[in-house]
Amino acid sequence: MHNIDSDSEDDLPPGWEEKSTEDGNVYFVNTCANKTQWTHPRTGCKKVIPKDLPFGWSKALDEEGKIIYIQKETGSKTYVDPRLAFSKEDKKHVHDFRQRFDGSSTAYQVLHGVDLSGKYAMVTGSNVGIGYETAKSLARHGCNVLFANRNMESTHKAIEDIVKETNASEDSLLSIHLDLSSLQSVKKCASAVKTLFSDHLDIVILNAGVFGLPYTETEDNIETTFQVNHLSHMYLALLLKPLLKKGSRVLFVSSESHRFASLKNMFTQHNLTYIKDSYSSMMAYNNSKLFNVITAKVLSEEWRSEGICVNSLHPGNMVYSNISKSWWLFRLAFYIVRPFTKSLQQAAATTIYAATASELEGVTGLYFNNCFYCEESALARDRDIALEVFGMSLKMIAERMGTEHIQKYLQTYSVRKTGS
């Protein structure tokens, strides 16, 4: 039962204080009864805090020899351990975490106090829009970011702007060419990334995408929306697997549009893409976003035993960005609803949350929206459909690029599908 003095079970009852030990444990002091305990007096749970100070904080000794904490940016001082603001309950299960942010939260708010120094991230589509805001937010907190984009002139300009705005080190922001309409470019990019980051990648954010395109085909003779949004990102994730270690996070930026996908006749026709005569730009987009969710779920199963986390997410509805550039009517519609949709900082928040939140350590195979997980569509949860989509996608890659680097997945899919 909640105490009448509080509307939150996290709030301490009157007379209680929360304190910390140097090694990152939290204890609770009842100042009235002069007693201490390790569990929260209301929830009964133990709590822990990060061993390191939050980003931007340092500690020193005052004139009396007491520990004092200093916020570098503002110069403010306090005797209260700032790590307590980031305390979290010990989890009995990996999915035991509460919602801390929502649809109005910004990426900067999500990253408050988070130090990403020494982390390495790769973001596709990071020269404009939500991807740019995502990369900027990571860089602002010390992360080494690799910008993987098709337009290198725009990418270099984006990096220059981020360095000026965030004081991030120019050496920590790298660029690499990636044309998602070419599987050969994807392979070349992955090979170069392995050279740049020979050790590991902590975060891979597969963000780039197209929307509302008329029917066109890539150099691989594949419908463009399907390849750019889904197939090339799936191939890239598979090629980058050697750089992913325990604790690495891979994120497929999907959309709530995946709930309106339709796979009618696709399996019977053995074709996941729309033919020109029946093409719908909106349905092609919806399906590609469904395939993002499905790919994340399948890879989460494949890599779970290695501690690699793969999730998908929705950034926001009709966020005003470069994605609507394909047709003037789309640009107009996005412009009209702009006052009622998320800002780019808010749209980047869910990506940043899934990529960095400490409580998501070990969390894999989920779909996030408004900085919390939610249930995907029925199609996305159908295991038979997932394996069919994944297997057919692998086959399309193999037919054009050979089986190198994906042979293991082809074999695994075959075993699962036959049930042997």
Side-chain angles (χ1 to χ4, degrees), residues 319-382:
V319 177
Y320 191 76
S321 70
N322 211 41
I323 198 170
S324 63
K325 67 181 180 180
S326 62
W327 189 26
W328 70 268
L329 189 57
F330 287 139
R331 292 197 300 273
L332 177 61
F334 276 63
Y335 180 79
I336 291 173
V337 301
R338 186 176 184 178
F340 312 103
T341 61
K342 292 182 179 182
S343 68
L344 290 177
Q345 256 293 304
Q346 290 171 324
T350 299
T351 305
I352 290 296
Y353 174 72
T356 65
S358 60
E359 65 264 32
L360 298 186
E361 182 177 341
V363 173
T364 189
L366 297 184
Y367 172 73
F368 290 84
N369 184 10
N370 292 329
C371 295
F372 205 61
Y373 68 91
C374 62
E375 189 172 64
E376 317 89 333
S377 68
L379 284 177
R381 299 194 305 274
D382 189 305

Short mmCIF file of all heavy atoms in Angstrom, two decimals, residues 319-382:
data_model
loop_
_atom_site.label_atom_id
_atom_site.label_comp_id
_atom_site.label_asym_id
_atom_site.label_seq_id
_atom_site.Cartn_x
_atom_site.Cartn_y
_atom_site.Cartn_z
N VAL A 319 7.41 12.63 -38.29
CA VAL A 319 8.38 13.62 -37.83
C VAL A 319 8.92 14.37 -39.05
O VAL A 319 9.28 13.77 -40.06
CB VAL A 319 9.54 12.94 -37.08
CG1 VAL A 319 10.59 13.97 -36.68
CG2 VAL A 319 9.00 12.21 -35.86
N TYR A 320 8.95 15.70 -38.95
CA TYR A 320 9.37 16.52 -40.09
C TYR A 320 10.88 16.36 -40.30
O TYR A 320 11.68 16.88 -39.54
CB TYR A 320 9.03 17.99 -39.85
CG TYR A 320 9.20 18.85 -41.08
CD1 TYR A 320 8.27 18.81 -42.11
CD2 TYR A 320 10.31 19.68 -41.22
CE1 TYR A 320 8.41 19.59 -43.24
CE2 TYR A 320 10.46 20.47 -42.35
CZ TYR A 320 9.51 20.41 -43.37
OH TYR A 320 9.67 21.18 -44.49
N SER A 321 11.23 15.62 -41.34
CA SER A 321 12.63 15.35 -41.63
C SER A 321 12.78 15.17 -43.14
O SER A 321 11.84 15.34 -43.91
CB SER A 321 13.12 14.10 -40.90
OG SER A 321 12.52 12.94 -41.44
N ASN A 322 13.98 14.78 -43.54
CA ASN A 322 14.28 14.63 -44.96
C ASN A 322 13.58 13.43 -45.60
O ASN A 322 13.59 13.28 -46.82
CB ASN A 322 15.80 14.49 -45.13
CG ASN A 322 16.28 15.05 -46.46
OD1 ASN A 322 15.81 16.09 -46.88
ND2 ASN A 322 17.20 14.37 -47.11
N ILE A 323 12.97 12.56 -44.80
CA ILE A 323 12.40 11.33 -45.34
C ILE A 323 11.21 11.60 -46.26
O ILE A 323 10.86 10.78 -47.10
CB ILE A 323 11.99 10.37 -44.20
CG1 ILE A 323 11.83 8.94 -44.75
CG2 ILE A 323 10.72 10.85 -43.51
CD1 ILE A 323 11.67 7.89 -43.68
N SER A 324 10.58 12.76 -46.12
CA SER A 324 9.40 13.07 -46.93
C SER A 324 9.74 13.76 -48.25
O SER A 324 8.85 14.25 -48.95
CB SER A 324 8.45 13.96 -46.12
OG SER A 324 9.08 15.20 -45.81
N LYS A 325 11.00 13.76 -48.63
CA LYS A 325 11.45 14.55 -49.79
C LYS A 325 11.02 13.97 -51.13
O LYS A 325 11.10 14.65 -52.15
CB LYS A 325 12.98 14.66 -49.78
CG LYS A 325 13.68 13.31 -50.01
CD LYS A 325 15.19 13.45 -49.97
CE LYS A 325 15.87 12.11 -50.20
NZ LYS A 325 17.33 12.21 -50.17
N SER A 326 10.53 12.72 -51.17
CA SER A 326 10.29 12.05 -52.44
C SER A 326 9.15 12.65 -53.26
O SER A 326 9.11 12.51 -54.47
CB SER A 326 10.02 10.56 -52.20
OG SER A 326 8.86 10.37 -51.41
N TRP A 327 8.19 13.33 -52.60
CA TRP A 327 7.02 13.86 -53.32
C TRP A 327 6.53 15.11 -52.61
O TRP A 327 6.46 15.17 -51.38
CB TRP A 327 5.93 12.78 -53.38
CG TRP A 327 4.77 13.09 -54.26
CD1 TRP A 327 4.75 13.92 -55.35
CD2 TRP A 327 3.43 12.59 -54.11
NE1 TRP A 327 3.49 13.95 -55.90
CE2 TRP A 327 2.65 13.14 -55.17
CE3 TRP A 327 2.81 11.73 -53.20
CZ2 TRP A 327 1.30 12.86 -55.33
CZ3 TRP A 327 1.47 11.44 -53.36
CH2 TRP A 327 0.73 12.00 -54.42
N TRP A 328 6.17 16.13 -53.38
CA TRP A 328 5.76 17.40 -52.79
C TRP A 328 4.55 17.25 -51.88
O TRP A 328 4.44 17.95 -50.87
CB TRP A 328 5.45 18.42 -53.88
CG TRP A 328 4.20 18.13 -54.68
CD1 TRP A 328 4.11 17.44 -55.84
CD2 TRP A 328 2.87 18.52 -54.33
NE1 TRP A 328 2.81 17.35 -56.26
CE2 TRP A 328 2.01 18.02 -55.35
CE3 TRP A 328 2.29 19.24 -53.28
CZ2 TRP A 328 0.64 18.21 -55.34
CZ3 TRP A 328 0.93 19.43 -53.27
CH2 TRP A 328 0.10 18.93 -54.29
N LEU A 329 3.65 16.29 -52.19
CA LEU A 329 2.46 16.11 -51.36
C LEU A 329 2.83 15.56 -49.99
O LEU A 329 2.25 15.95 -48.97
CB LEU A 329 1.47 15.18 -52.07
CG LEU A 329 0.07 15.06 -51.42
CD1 LEU A 329 -0.58 16.43 -51.32
CD2 LEU A 329 -0.81 14.10 -52.23
N PHE A 330 3.82 14.66 -49.95
CA PHE A 330 4.29 14.15 -48.67
C PHE A 330 4.95 15.28 -47.86
O PHE A 330 4.74 15.39 -46.65
CB PHE A 330 5.29 13.01 -48.87
CG PHE A 330 4.67 11.71 -49.32
CD1 PHE A 330 5.28 10.94 -50.29
CD2 PHE A 330 3.47 11.27 -48.79
CE1 PHE A 330 4.72 9.74 -50.72
CE2 PHE A 330 2.90 10.08 -49.20
CZ PHE A 330 3.52 9.32 -50.18
N ARG A 331 5.75 16.09 -48.54
CA ARG A 331 6.41 17.21 -47.84
C ARG A 331 5.37 18.15 -47.25
O ARG A 331 5.52 18.63 -46.13
CB ARG A 331 7.33 17.97 -48.81
CG ARG A 331 8.53 17.18 -49.27
CD ARG A 331 9.60 18.09 -49.85
NE ARG A 331 9.11 18.84 -51.01
CZ ARG A 331 9.13 18.40 -52.27
NH1 ARG A 331 9.60 17.17 -52.52
NH2 ARG A 331 8.69 19.14 -53.26
N LEU A 332 4.30 18.41 -48.01
CA LEU A 332 3.24 19.29 -47.52
C LEU A 332 2.54 18.70 -46.31
O LEU A 332 2.30 19.39 -45.30
CB LEU A 332 2.23 19.56 -48.64
CG LEU A 332 1.02 20.42 -48.27
CD1 LEU A 332 1.46 21.80 -47.81
CD2 LEU A 332 0.04 20.50 -49.44
N ALA A 333 2.20 17.40 -46.40
CA ALA A 333 1.50 16.74 -45.30
C ALA A 333 2.35 16.75 -44.03
O ALA A 333 1.85 17.04 -42.92
CB ALA A 333 1.15 15.30 -45.69
N PHE A 334 3.64 16.45 -44.17
CA PHE A 334 4.52 16.45 -43.01
C PHE A 334 4.66 17.86 -42.43
O PHE A 334 4.77 18.03 -41.22
CB PHE A 334 5.91 15.89 -43.40
CG PHE A 334 6.00 14.39 -43.37
CD1 PHE A 334 5.23 13.61 -44.21
CD2 PHE A 334 6.85 13.75 -42.48
CE1 PHE A 334 5.32 12.22 -44.20
CE2 PHE A 334 6.95 12.37 -42.44
CZ PHE A 334 6.17 11.60 -43.31
N TYR A 335 4.67 18.85 -43.32
CA TYR A 335 4.80 20.23 -42.85
C TYR A 335 3.56 20.67 -42.06
O TYR A 335 3.67 21.33 -41.03
CB TYR A 335 5.02 21.16 -44.04
CG TYR A 335 5.17 22.61 -43.65
CD1 TYR A 335 6.37 23.10 -43.14
CD2 TYR A 335 4.10 23.49 -43.78
CE1 TYR A 335 6.50 24.42 -42.76
CE2 TYR A 335 4.21 24.82 -43.41
CZ TYR A 335 5.42 25.29 -42.90
OH TYR A 335 5.55 26.60 -42.53
N ILE A 336 2.40 20.28 -42.55
CA ILE A 336 1.14 20.68 -41.90
C ILE A 336 1.04 20.13 -40.48
O ILE A 336 0.60 20.81 -39.56
CB ILE A 336 -0.07 20.22 -42.76
CG1 ILE A 336 -0.13 21.04 -44.05
CG2 ILE A 336 -1.37 20.36 -41.98
CD1 ILE A 336 -1.18 20.55 -45.03
N VAL A 337 1.45 18.88 -40.31
CA VAL A 337 1.32 18.25 -38.98
C VAL A 337 2.53 18.52 -38.09
O VAL A 337 2.57 18.08 -36.95
CB VAL A 337 1.10 16.72 -39.11
CG1 VAL A 337 -0.14 16.42 -39.92
CG2 VAL A 337 2.33 16.02 -39.71
N ARG A 338 3.50 19.25 -38.61
CA ARG A 338 4.75 19.49 -37.86
C ARG A 338 4.53 20.01 -36.45
O ARG A 338 5.18 19.55 -35.50
CB ARG A 338 5.64 20.44 -38.65
CG ARG A 338 7.02 20.65 -38.03
CD ARG A 338 7.90 21.53 -38.91
NE ARG A 338 9.25 21.65 -38.39
CZ ARG A 338 10.23 22.33 -38.99
NH1 ARG A 338 9.98 22.93 -40.14
NH2 ARG A 338 11.43 22.40 -38.44
N PRO A 339 3.61 20.97 -36.23
CA PRO A 339 3.42 21.48 -34.85
C PRO A 339 2.88 20.44 -33.87
O PRO A 339 2.95 20.64 -32.66
CB PRO A 339 2.40 22.62 -35.04
CG PRO A 339 2.48 22.99 -36.48
CD PRO A 339 2.78 21.71 -37.20
N PHE A 340 2.36 19.34 -34.40
CA PHE A 340 1.72 18.35 -33.54
C PHE A 340 2.54 17.08 -33.38
O PHE A 340 2.11 16.13 -32.74
CB PHE A 340 0.33 18.01 -34.10
CG PHE A 340 -0.49 19.21 -34.46
CD1 PHE A 340 -0.63 19.60 -35.78
CD2 PHE A 340 -1.09 19.97 -33.48
CE1 PHE A 340 -1.37 20.73 -36.12
CE2 PHE A 340 -1.84 21.10 -33.80
CZ PHE A 340 -1.97 21.48 -35.13
N THR A 341 3.71 17.05 -33.99
CA THR A 341 4.55 15.86 -33.92
C THR A 341 5.81 16.13 -33.11
O THR A 341 6.05 17.26 -32.66
CB THR A 341 4.94 15.38 -35.34
OG1 THR A 341 5.69 16.42 -36.00
CG2 THR A 341 3.71 15.04 -36.15
N LYS A 342 6.62 15.12 -32.95
CA LYS A 342 7.84 15.25 -32.17
C LYS A 342 8.88 16.12 -32.88
O LYS A 342 8.95 16.14 -34.11
CB LYS A 342 8.46 13.87 -31.92
CG LYS A 342 7.67 12.96 -31.01
CD LYS A 342 8.42 11.65 -30.82
CE LYS A 342 7.68 10.70 -29.88
NZ LYS A 342 8.42 9.44 -29.66
N SER A 343 9.69 16.79 -32.09
CA SER A 343 10.87 17.46 -32.63
C SER A 343 11.90 16.38 -32.95
O SER A 343 11.76 15.21 -32.55
CB SER A 343 11.44 18.43 -31.60
OG SER A 343 11.98 17.69 -30.49
N LEU A 344 12.96 16.75 -33.66
CA LEU A 344 14.00 15.77 -33.98
C LEU A 344 14.68 15.25 -32.71
O LEU A 344 15.04 14.07 -32.63
CB LEU A 344 15.03 16.39 -34.92
CG LEU A 344 14.54 16.66 -36.35
CD1 LEU A 344 15.63 17.35 -37.17
CD2 LEU A 344 14.12 15.36 -37.03
N GLN A 345 14.85 16.12 -31.71
CA GLN A 345 15.44 15.68 -30.44
C GLN A 345 14.53 14.67 -29.75
O GLN A 345 15.00 13.67 -29.18
CB GLN A 345 15.67 16.88 -29.53
CG GLN A 345 17.10 17.32 -29.43
CD GLN A 345 17.99 16.32 -28.73
OE1 GLN A 345 17.73 15.93 -27.59
NE2 GLN A 345 19.05 15.90 -29.39
N GLN A 346 13.24 14.88 -29.80
CA GLN A 346 12.30 13.93 -29.21
C GLN A 346 12.26 12.64 -30.02
O GLN A 346 12.16 11.54 -29.47
CB GLN A 346 10.90 14.55 -29.12
CG GLN A 346 10.78 15.65 -28.09
CD GLN A 346 9.46 16.38 -28.18
OE1 GLN A 346 8.91 16.59 -29.27
NE2 GLN A 346 8.92 16.80 -27.04
N ALA A 347 12.34 12.76 -31.34
CA ALA A 347 12.30 11.58 -32.21
C ALA A 347 13.53 10.70 -32.03
O ALA A 347 13.46 9.48 -32.21
CB ALA A 347 12.17 12.01 -33.67
N ALA A 348 14.65 11.31 -31.67
CA ALA A 348 15.88 10.54 -31.46
C ALA A 348 15.92 9.88 -30.08
O ALA A 348 16.77 9.02 -29.82
CB ALA A 348 17.10 11.44 -31.63
N ALA A 349 15.01 10.27 -29.19
CA ALA A 349 15.07 9.82 -27.80
C ALA A 349 14.93 8.31 -27.65
O ALA A 349 15.66 7.68 -26.87
CB ALA A 349 14.00 10.53 -26.97
N THR A 350 14.00 7.70 -28.37
CA THR A 350 13.79 6.26 -28.21
C THR A 350 15.00 5.48 -28.72
O THR A 350 15.41 4.49 -28.11
CB THR A 350 12.51 5.81 -28.95
OG1 THR A 350 11.39 6.50 -28.38
CG2 THR A 350 12.28 4.31 -28.78
N THR A 351 15.58 5.93 -29.82
CA THR A 351 16.81 5.29 -30.32
C THR A 351 17.91 5.38 -29.29
O THR A 351 18.59 4.40 -28.98
CB THR A 351 17.26 5.94 -31.64
OG1 THR A 351 16.21 5.91 -32.59
CG2 THR A 351 18.47 5.20 -32.20
N ILE A 352 18.11 6.58 -28.76
CA ILE A 352 19.17 6.80 -27.77
C ILE A 352 18.89 5.98 -26.51
O ILE A 352 19.82 5.40 -25.92
CB ILE A 352 19.27 8.30 -27.43
CG1 ILE A 352 19.83 9.08 -28.63
CG2 ILE A 352 20.13 8.52 -26.20
CD1 ILE A 352 21.25 8.70 -29.01
N TYR A 353 17.64 5.91 -26.11
CA TYR A 353 17.30 5.13 -24.91
C TYR A 353 17.65 3.66 -25.12
O TYR A 353 18.32 3.04 -24.28
CB TYR A 353 15.81 5.28 -24.61
CG TYR A 353 15.33 4.38 -23.48
CD1 TYR A 353 15.68 4.65 -22.17
CD2 TYR A 353 14.56 3.25 -23.75
CE1 TYR A 353 15.26 3.82 -21.12
CE2 TYR A 353 14.14 2.42 -22.72
CZ TYR A 353 14.50 2.71 -21.41
OH TYR A 353 14.09 1.87 -20.40
N ALA A 354 17.22 3.10 -26.25
CA ALA A 354 17.48 1.68 -26.51
C ALA A 354 18.97 1.41 -26.68
O ALA A 354 19.44 0.30 -26.39
CB ALA A 354 16.72 1.24 -27.76
N ALA A 355 19.72 2.42 -27.12
CA ALA A 355 21.15 2.24 -27.36
C ALA A 355 22.01 2.39 -26.11
O ALA A 355 23.11 1.82 -26.05
CB ALA A 355 21.62 3.24 -28.41
N THR A 356 21.51 3.13 -25.11
CA THR A 356 22.39 3.48 -23.99
C THR A 356 21.86 3.21 -22.60
O THR A 356 22.66 3.16 -21.65
CB THR A 356 22.74 4.98 -24.06
OG1 THR A 356 21.54 5.76 -23.86
CG2 THR A 356 23.36 5.35 -25.41
N ALA A 357 20.57 3.04 -22.42
CA ALA A 357 20.01 2.93 -21.06
C ALA A 357 20.61 1.75 -20.30
O ALA A 357 20.64 0.63 -20.81
CB ALA A 357 18.49 2.80 -21.12
N SER A 358 21.06 2.01 -19.09
CA SER A 358 21.73 0.96 -18.31
C SER A 358 20.78 -0.17 -17.94
O SER A 358 21.19 -1.33 -17.85
CB SER A 358 22.34 1.57 -17.04
OG SER A 358 21.33 2.18 -16.24
N GLU A 359 19.49 0.15 -17.74
CA GLU A 359 18.55 -0.89 -17.35
C GLU A 359 18.24 -1.87 -18.48
O GLU A 359 17.62 -2.92 -18.25
CB GLU A 359 17.24 -0.28 -16.82
CG GLU A 359 16.45 0.50 -17.84
CD GLU A 359 16.73 1.98 -17.78
OE1 GLU A 359 17.88 2.35 -17.45
OE2 GLU A 359 15.81 2.77 -18.05
N LEU A 360 18.68 -1.53 -19.70
CA LEU A 360 18.42 -2.42 -20.84
C LEU A 360 19.57 -3.38 -21.10
O LEU A 360 19.59 -4.06 -22.13
CB LEU A 360 18.14 -1.59 -22.10
CG LEU A 360 16.91 -0.67 -22.04
CD1 LEU A 360 16.67 -0.02 -23.40
CD2 LEU A 360 15.68 -1.45 -21.60
N GLU A 361 20.51 -3.42 -20.20
CA GLU A 361 21.61 -4.38 -20.35
C GLU A 361 21.04 -5.81 -20.38
O GLU A 361 20.30 -6.22 -19.49
CB GLU A 361 22.59 -4.25 -19.18
CG GLU A 361 23.79 -5.17 -19.28
CD GLU A 361 24.77 -4.96 -18.14
OE1 GLU A 361 24.71 -3.89 -17.48
OE2 GLU A 361 25.58 -5.87 -17.90
N GLY A 362 21.34 -6.53 -21.44
CA GLY A 362 20.85 -7.90 -21.59
C GLY A 362 19.46 -8.01 -22.18
O GLY A 362 18.96 -9.11 -22.42
N VAL A 363 18.81 -6.87 -22.42
CA VAL A 363 17.45 -6.88 -22.98
C VAL A 363 17.53 -7.00 -24.50
O VAL A 363 18.18 -6.18 -25.16
CB VAL A 363 16.69 -5.59 -22.59
CG1 VAL A 363 15.35 -5.52 -23.32
CG2 VAL A 363 16.50 -5.53 -21.08
N THR A 364 16.87 -7.99 -25.06
CA THR A 364 16.95 -8.22 -26.49
C THR A 364 15.63 -8.76 -27.04
O THR A 364 14.83 -9.32 -26.29
CB THR A 364 18.10 -9.22 -26.81
OG1 THR A 364 18.32 -9.27 -28.23
CG2 THR A 364 17.80 -10.61 -26.29
N GLY A 365 15.39 -8.51 -28.33
CA GLY A 365 14.20 -9.03 -28.98
C GLY A 365 12.94 -8.24 -28.73
O GLY A 365 11.84 -8.73 -28.98
N LEU A 366 13.06 -6.97 -28.29
CA LEU A 366 11.88 -6.15 -27.99
C LEU A 366 11.70 -5.04 -29.03
O LEU A 366 12.61 -4.71 -29.78
CB LEU A 366 11.99 -5.53 -26.60
CG LEU A 366 12.03 -6.48 -25.41
CD1 LEU A 366 12.04 -5.68 -24.11
CD2 LEU A 366 10.89 -7.46 -25.44
N TYR A 367 10.50 -4.49 -29.03
CA TYR A 367 10.15 -3.36 -29.90
C TYR A 367 9.82 -2.18 -28.99
O TYR A 367 9.01 -2.31 -28.06
CB TYR A 367 8.96 -3.73 -30.77
CG TYR A 367 8.37 -2.59 -31.57
CD1 TYR A 367 9.02 -2.08 -32.68
CD2 TYR A 367 7.14 -2.03 -31.20
CE1 TYR A 367 8.48 -1.03 -33.42
CE2 TYR A 367 6.57 -0.99 -31.94
CZ TYR A 367 7.26 -0.50 -33.05
OH TYR A 367 6.70 0.53 -33.78
N PHE A 368 10.44 -1.02 -29.24
CA PHE A 368 10.30 0.14 -28.36
C PHE A 368 9.56 1.28 -29.07
O PHE A 368 9.72 1.50 -30.28
CB PHE A 368 11.67 0.65 -27.92
CG PHE A 368 12.38 -0.25 -26.96
CD1 PHE A 368 13.11 -1.33 -27.40
CD2 PHE A 368 12.30 -0.02 -25.58
CE1 PHE A 368 13.77 -2.18 -26.51
CE2 PHE A 368 12.94 -0.87 -24.68
CZ PHE A 368 13.68 -1.94 -25.15
N ASN A 369 8.77 2.00 -28.29
CA ASN A 369 8.08 3.20 -28.76
C ASN A 369 7.94 4.15 -27.56
O ASN A 369 7.62 3.71 -26.46
CB ASN A 369 6.70 2.84 -29.32
CG ASN A 369 5.98 4.03 -29.91
OD1 ASN A 369 6.55 5.11 -30.07
ND2 ASN A 369 4.70 3.85 -30.23
N ASN A 370 8.22 5.42 -27.77
CA ASN A 370 8.15 6.41 -26.67
C ASN A 370 8.99 5.98 -25.47
O ASN A 370 8.55 6.06 -24.32
CB ASN A 370 6.70 6.66 -26.27
CG ASN A 370 5.91 7.38 -27.34
OD1 ASN A 370 6.47 8.17 -28.09
ND2 ASN A 370 4.63 7.08 -27.42
N CYS A 371 10.19 5.51 -25.75
CA CYS A 371 11.18 5.17 -24.72
C CYS A 371 10.73 4.04 -23.79
O CYS A 371 11.10 4.01 -22.61
CB CYS A 371 11.54 6.40 -23.90
SG CYS A 371 12.39 7.68 -24.86
N PHE A 372 9.92 3.13 -24.30
CA PHE A 372 9.56 1.94 -23.53
C PHE A 372 9.11 0.86 -24.51
O PHE A 372 8.74 1.16 -25.64
CB PHE A 372 8.44 2.26 -22.53
CG PHE A 372 8.42 1.32 -21.36
CD1 PHE A 372 9.49 1.24 -20.50
CD2 PHE A 372 7.31 0.52 -21.10
CE1 PHE A 372 9.48 0.39 -19.40
CE2 PHE A 372 7.28 -0.33 -20.02
CZ PHE A 372 8.37 -0.40 -19.16
N TYR A 373 9.17 -0.38 -24.05
CA TYR A 373 8.82 -1.46 -24.96
C TYR A 373 7.31 -1.65 -25.03
O TYR A 373 6.57 -1.34 -24.09
CB TYR A 373 9.52 -2.76 -24.57
CG TYR A 373 9.07 -3.39 -23.27
CD1 TYR A 373 8.05 -4.33 -23.24
CD2 TYR A 373 9.71 -3.09 -22.07
CE1 TYR A 373 7.65 -4.93 -22.05
CE2 TYR A 373 9.33 -3.68 -20.87
CZ TYR A 373 8.29 -4.59 -20.88
OH TYR A 373 7.89 -5.18 -19.71
N CYS A 374 6.86 -2.13 -26.17
CA CYS A 374 5.44 -2.41 -26.36
C CYS A 374 5.31 -3.61 -27.30
O CYS A 374 6.30 -4.06 -27.89
CB CYS A 374 4.69 -1.21 -26.92
SG CYS A 374 5.26 -0.67 -28.53
N GLU A 375 4.11 -4.11 -27.42
CA GLU A 375 3.90 -5.30 -28.23
C GLU A 375 3.88 -4.94 -29.72
O GLU A 375 3.28 -3.96 -30.13
CB GLU A 375 2.58 -5.97 -27.85
CG GLU A 375 2.37 -7.33 -28.48
CD GLU A 375 1.14 -8.05 -27.93
OE1 GLU A 375 0.03 -7.53 -28.15
OE2 GLU A 375 1.30 -9.10 -27.29
N GLU A 376 4.54 -5.76 -30.52
CA GLU A 376 4.55 -5.57 -31.96
C GLU A 376 3.23 -6.05 -32.56
O GLU A 376 2.36 -6.54 -31.86
CB GLU A 376 5.70 -6.35 -32.61
CG GLU A 376 7.03 -6.29 -31.88
CD GLU A 376 7.18 -7.37 -30.83
OE1 GLU A 376 6.15 -7.84 -30.29
OE2 GLU A 376 8.33 -7.76 -30.55
N SER A 377 3.10 -5.93 -33.87
CA SER A 377 1.91 -6.40 -34.56
C SER A 377 1.86 -7.93 -34.53
O SER A 377 2.87 -8.61 -34.27
CB SER A 377 1.92 -5.93 -36.01
OG SER A 377 2.95 -6.59 -36.74
N ALA A 378 0.68 -8.47 -34.81
CA ALA A 378 0.52 -9.93 -34.84
C ALA A 378 1.42 -10.57 -35.89
O ALA A 378 2.00 -11.64 -35.65
CB ALA A 378 -0.95 -10.28 -35.11
N LEU A 379 1.57 -9.92 -37.04
CA LEU A 379 2.45 -10.45 -38.08
C LEU A 379 3.89 -10.53 -37.59
O LEU A 379 4.60 -11.49 -37.86
CB LEU A 379 2.39 -9.57 -39.34
CG LEU A 379 1.15 -9.70 -40.23
CD1 LEU A 379 1.24 -8.71 -41.38
CD2 LEU A 379 1.00 -11.12 -40.76
N ALA A 380 4.33 -9.51 -36.86
CA ALA A 380 5.71 -9.48 -36.36
C ALA A 380 5.96 -10.54 -35.31
O ALA A 380 7.09 -10.98 -35.12
CB ALA A 380 6.02 -8.09 -35.79
N ARG A 381 4.90 -10.97 -34.62
CA ARG A 381 5.06 -11.98 -33.56
C ARG A 381 4.90 -13.41 -34.08
O ARG A 381 5.14 -14.36 -33.34
CB ARG A 381 4.02 -11.74 -32.45
CG ARG A 381 4.14 -10.40 -31.76
CD ARG A 381 3.32 -10.37 -30.48
NE ARG A 381 1.93 -10.73 -30.68
CZ ARG A 381 0.98 -9.86 -31.04
NH1 ARG A 381 1.28 -8.59 -31.25
NH2 ARG A 381 -0.28 -10.26 -31.19
N ASP A 382 4.51 -13.56 -35.33
CA ASP A 382 4.29 -14.89 -35.90
C ASP A 382 5.64 -15.51 -36.27
O ASP A 382 6.32 -15.05 -37.19
CB ASP A 382 3.40 -14.78 -37.14
CG ASP A 382 2.96 -16.14 -37.65
OD1 ASP A 382 3.82 -16.99 -37.92
OD2 ASP A 382 1.73 -16.33 -37.82
#
